[in-house]
Amino acid sequence: MATKNKPSIVFIGSGAIATALGNIMASDEDYLITLLSVEKDVVESINGEHINEKYFPSFRLNPLLRATEDKAILMDAHMVFLAIPSVTIVEYLTTNLSYLNPSAILVNLAKGFGNERDTIPDCLSRLLPNPLATLKGPSFAREIINRLPTAFTLASENEELFELFQELFDNTTIHLDYSTDVRGVEYASILKNIYAIVIGIVDAHFDSPNLRSLVLTKAINEMRALMCRFGGKEETMFNYCGFGDFTLTALNDLSRNRTLGLLIGKGFFTNNISDKVVLEGRIAVNVLCEQLSGQDKACASFPLITELHQVFNQEYDIKNFVNRILSRP
């Protein structure tokens, strides 16, 4: 239960990003920070040894960061961060609706669709009365937990929440910019995974700064156009969630989606690899291309995602990928 006068903040999930952000927030004794986990061993190691043995086995956590398996903690939560895979969020909240404080602010950290075609905030707004926000940016958890400066875009249709988040992250290494374009921020975080795969494939074939920059430019323009087509605002591409998150994901080998592109480009990719790991980029390619399929001239307008869709859905000679994306209009 929350201590009187101390807001309770709960992370649904105890993975890398939940642990890293939770540990940063736990530095402020004005908040009660708890990770809600389904992993008993992780809960025991955090509470007993102040270590998340599964994700950060050599990093000692703030002793004020707690973990629990008890969903009842959601009943008193003032703010709930959604830090589980995007494909599980809607089902999880639907199943556990009776535990959720209806006035708690829900903050989406996941980068992917909530169902076959809708963003997570779109799904949740139909399901729940809670205030909604989304937090997206160039943010490797390993660097967050080591207190390296890290940026996020905080998006909500309710601008009154901005001051609350500014206070929450005050005097930490987390830097925020703000947007009311929730749809644009969500799509930026989805699209960056797709185009990181493209850059990975290109880099697997050519270690060429010239070519990489050429394709990066094409990718940014395609992302911007897609974001606008699906209801986002063009300027969102220049928030931390847009250009910043895309370049982090596309150009760093810690990125799973870039790594997927490298595996595809080198010919090592198999369906078994993708089936064992949640790869948001691959899922999103099929969702978006299905939505674009009924739209006039979509294939010509978005050649990179169209070509990547073919890679995932038909027999494809990957040696031709770069020439094909360069030859498309």
Side-chain angles (χ1 to χ4, degrees), residues 83-121:
I84 53 180
S86 59
V87 294
T88 67
I89 285 176
V90 174
E91 181 181 359
Y92 182 94
L93 291 179
T94 302
T95 302
N96 297 290
L97 204 56
S98 60
Y99 291 103
L100 192 63
N101 176 2
S103 64
I105 300 166
L106 302 183
V107 187
N108 179 34
L109 293 171
K111 298 174 179 179
F113 286 102
N115 57 24
E116 288 82 3
R117 59 184 298 124
D118 296 316
T119 67
I120 290 169

Side-chain angles (χ1 to χ4, degrees), residues 35-52:
L35 308 185
L36 175 57
S37 179
V38 297
E39 299 176 286
K40 183 177 180 180
D41 56 336
V42 171
V43 171
E44 291 177 347
S45 68
I46 290 174
N47 292 339
E49 304 169 43
H50 308 304
I51 291 173
N52 187 328

Side-chain angles (χ1 to χ4, degrees), residues 20-237:
L21 278 175
N23 193 62
I24 289 286
M25 293 181 194
S27 300
D28 190 336
E29 297 184 13
D30 290 337
Y31 300 100
L32 294 172
I33 312 297
T34 308
L35 308 185
L36 175 57
S37 179
V38 297
E39 299 176 286
K40 183 177 180 180
D41 56 336
V42 171
V43 171
E44 291 177 347
S45 68
I46 290 174
N47 292 339
E49 304 169 43
H50 308 304
I51 291 173
N52 187 328
E53 61 183 18
K54 186 171 183 179
Y55 295 96
F56 297 105
S58 61
F59 190 94
R60 186 166 180 81
L61 301 170
N62 190 310
L64 295 178
L65 178 65
R66 308 299 293 169
T68 185
E69 296 177 86
D70 187 0
K71 296 173 185 175
I73 196 169
L74 293 171
M75 294 178 178
D76 290 330
H78 295 80
M79 185 179 294
V80 177
F81 284 82
L82 307 174
I84 53 180
S86 59
V87 294
T88 67
I89 285 176
V90 174
E91 181 181 359
Y92 182 94
L93 291 179
T94 302
T95 302
N96 297 290
L97 204 56
S98 60
Y99 291 103
L100 192 63
N101 176 2
S103 64
I105 300 166
L106 302 183
V107 187
N108 179 34
L109 293 171
K111 298 174 179 179
F113 286 102
N115 57 24
E116 288 82 3
R117 59 184 298 124
D118 296 316
T119 67
I120 290 169
D122 282 345
C123 293
L124 297 186
S125 65
R126 296 193 293 267
L127 178 68
L128 302 163
N130 300 68
L132 298 174
T134 189
L135 190 67
K136 306 292 171 61
S139 50
F140 286 145
R142 186 176 73 179
E143 300 208 353
I144 293 173
I145 205 163
N146 283 300
R147 299 188 180 277
L148 291 168
T150 300
F152 289 91
T153 297
L154 188 283
S156 177
E157 294 178 358
N158 181 0
E159 293 185 59
E160 293 179 1
L161 296 183
F162 295 169
E163 186 175 346
L164 178 64
F165 281 89
Q166 184 177 9
E167 181 179 339
L168 179 63
F169 289 109
D170 192 30
N171 297 318
T172 72
T173 52
I174 303 300
H175 301 263
L176 301 178
D177 63 18
Y178 302 91
S179 175
T180 56
D181 182 21
V182 176
R183 176 168 282 267
V185 171
E186 286 289 330
Y187 268 94
S189 72
I190 292 167
L191 291 165
K192 61 96 180 182
N193 287 322
I194 294 172
Y195 290 92
I197 299 172
V198 172
I199 300 300
I201 295 173
V202 172
D203 282 350
H205 286 277
F206 298 94
D207 182 19
S208 167
N210 287 6
L211 176 60
R212 184 181 302 116
S213 297
L214 185 161
V215 179
L216 278 169
T217 303
K218 286 180 174 289
I220 289 168
N221 280 315
E222 207 166 293
M223 288 174 65
R224 175 181 53 81
L226 278 168
M227 196 164 54
C228 292
R229 180 170 288 218
F230 287 105
K233 297 178 181 177
E234 187 173 39
E235 58 265 27
T236 300
M237 193 64 205

